[in-house]
Amino acid sequence: MSTRSPAPAGAPTSSFDLRPVAPAAQRLRELVRSAILAPSSHNSQPWTFHIPINCAFVELYADRTRALPVIDPDDRELTMSCGAALYGLRLAARHAGFTDLVEVLPDPDDRDLMARVRLGAPHIASLDDEALFAAIRQRHTNRRPFVARAIPDQVLELMRRAAAVDGAMLTILQSPEERTRVADLIAAADRRQGANPAFRRELAAWMHPNRARSHDGMPGYAFGLGDWASYAGPIIVRTFDWGDGRAARDRELAIGSPYMAVLWTVGDTPHDWLAAGQALQHLLLRATIASVSASFLNQPVEVPELRALLRAQLDIPGHVQSVLRLGYGPRVEPTPRRDVDDVIR
């Protein structure tokens, strides 16, 4: 019998104070507090932030010590994660009462500097921005099965528009045939990754027991594991080729999901990856407002030849950056986050 795990270390427990009257340094720290709740591959949280002494701006940097070289050798997913954090930073600035002035990849000689955000003129946040901001603390990746319940067309359209605003496209897979083709590619990628000892070691390194004090990575409860199973999980993942078993489970999960979608961009450069990350966080927050859950089945995007096949089979006129499943699922606990002091330079 599994036992319920305690609240995860690093999970947000209080509301944010972003009032314009707050001291400048504290105000910028609170912006960062919103940014670090963004999703990231393996919950690796591959970012750091710099606030200068004059508090003129916040800089977002890629933390490549947290890279995933096996599944993400080009740091594409790492850059997308930074883009998701950037969207949270910008949204928090608007909530705080300022326009957000953003420079993306501002220094060609420093590829780690992802963006610089300045607080511009006073600005009254719209009701829509306030709703999106409130959803930051409610958005959690949900890896559980979803119920067979239709998502209203207007919600799907709002998610598509959210992606488009930030420079990406969201394609909802409409037909069972499309979902089956994608599910087959997910299973094929699972078999390849599960047979790769380097992949298994990398994944296991980011899996933690439920009662671990880690402030990053994926605790067992994120996969529905009880406390005892969460201790065994990383050992099993690291030791055995579980590709066939996971392929069967993920294929069933994909086909059984009410909705699947792909997020794509026209180009495939760091600029595009940052745009995709911002679009991803925007559309996920939009989904959260409507109580729609989401999780990722990015395995075929992480295998180059399968990524190309995915693009061809879905006739995508661009580059697939993420595969999502969407639906209504049970409440899940948030994964842990590092403290603000740990991510500010």
Side-chain angles (χ1 to χ4, degrees), residues 1-6 210-211 221 225-228:
M1 176 182 296
S2 64
T3 58
R4 184 177 179 84
S5 59
N210 289 343
R211 297 185 180 276
Y221 62 76
L225 300 179
D227 288 345
W228 287 109

Side-chain angles (χ1 to χ4, degrees), residues 220-249:
Y221 62 76
F223 302 96
L225 300 179
D227 288 345
W228 287 109
S230 73
Y231 280 97
I235 299 172
I236 294 171
V237 165
R238 183 170 52 249
T239 306
F240 300 101
D241 177 354
W242 36 257
D244 287 339
R246 180 170 174 178
R249 288 193 301 271

Side-chain angles (χ1 to χ4, degrees), residues 35 38 60 81-91 102 104 114-117 274 278:
L60 166 61
S81 299
C82 289
L86 174 59
Y87 184 80
L89 196 69
R90 295 175 55 207
L91 192 59
V102 183
V104 175
M114 297 282 104
R116 182 179 295 123
V117 179
L274 275 173
Q278 291 197 77

Side-chain angles (χ1 to χ4, degrees), residues 5-219:
S5 59
T13 57
S14 61
S15 61
F16 304 150
D17 180 7
L18 295 177
R19 295 170 298 177
V21 296
Q26 179 61 26
R27 185 165 62 234
L28 295 180
R29 285 171 58 86
E30 295 299 334
L31 302 189
V32 172
R33 195 183 302 275
S34 297
I36 63 178
L37 297 181
S40 59
S41 298
H42 293 1
N43 192 27
S44 54
Q45 303 170 47
W47 45 60
T48 59
F49 301 83
H50 171 236
I51 299 175
I53 293 176
N54 64 3
C55 298
F57 49 78
V58 179
E59 289 179 326
L60 166 61
Y61 283 83
D63 182 353
R64 301 188 197 274
T65 67
R66 293 174 165 269
L68 305 171
V70 178
I71 67 166
D72 188 30
D74 299 323
D75 285 348
R76 181 187 59 82
E77 291 188 4
L78 180 149
T79 305
M80 284 183 62
S81 299
C82 289
L86 174 59
Y87 184 80
L89 196 69
R90 295 175 55 207
L91 192 59
R94 298 198 294 272
H95 173 79
F98 299 92
T99 55
D100 55 308
L101 305 177
V102 183
E103 300 171 79
V104 175
L105 299 174
D107 186 352
D109 296 323
D110 187 353
R111 72 186 191 102
D112 291 341
L113 178 54
M114 297 282 104
R116 182 179 295 123
V117 179
R118 301 179 187 272
L119 301 184
H123 165 78
I124 298 177
S126 67
L127 292 178
D128 191 52
D129 279 346
E130 293 287 24
L132 289 167
F133 176 79
I136 289 177
R137 286 176 288 138
Q138 304 302 319
R139 184 218 61 80
H140 311 306
T141 300
N142 191 333
R143 298 175 178 86
R144 308 293 181 85
F146 298 153
V147 299
R149 174 184 165 192
I151 299 174
D153 289 341
Q154 58 267 34
V155 173
L156 296 174
E157 181 60 25
L158 286 172
M159 294 172 64
R160 279 191 286 258
R161 292 181 184 179
V165 165
D166 293 292
M169 278 63 70
L170 183 71
T171 296
I172 308 295
L173 305 185
Q174 301 287 354
S175 70
E177 292 77 17
E178 286 179 321
R179 290 200 295 274
T180 299
R181 286 198 294 269
V182 173
D184 288 342
L185 291 177
I186 292 168
D190 277 336
R191 285 189 286 270
R192 296 193 189 193
Q193 292 180 332
N196 182 349
F199 170 84
R200 298 199 305 267
R201 287 193 297 269
E202 183 175 85
L203 175 61
W206 291 95
M207 296 177 66
H208 305 308
N210 289 343
R211 297 185 180 276
R213 296 184 179 275
S214 175
H215 291 260
D216 56 17
M218 301 170 291

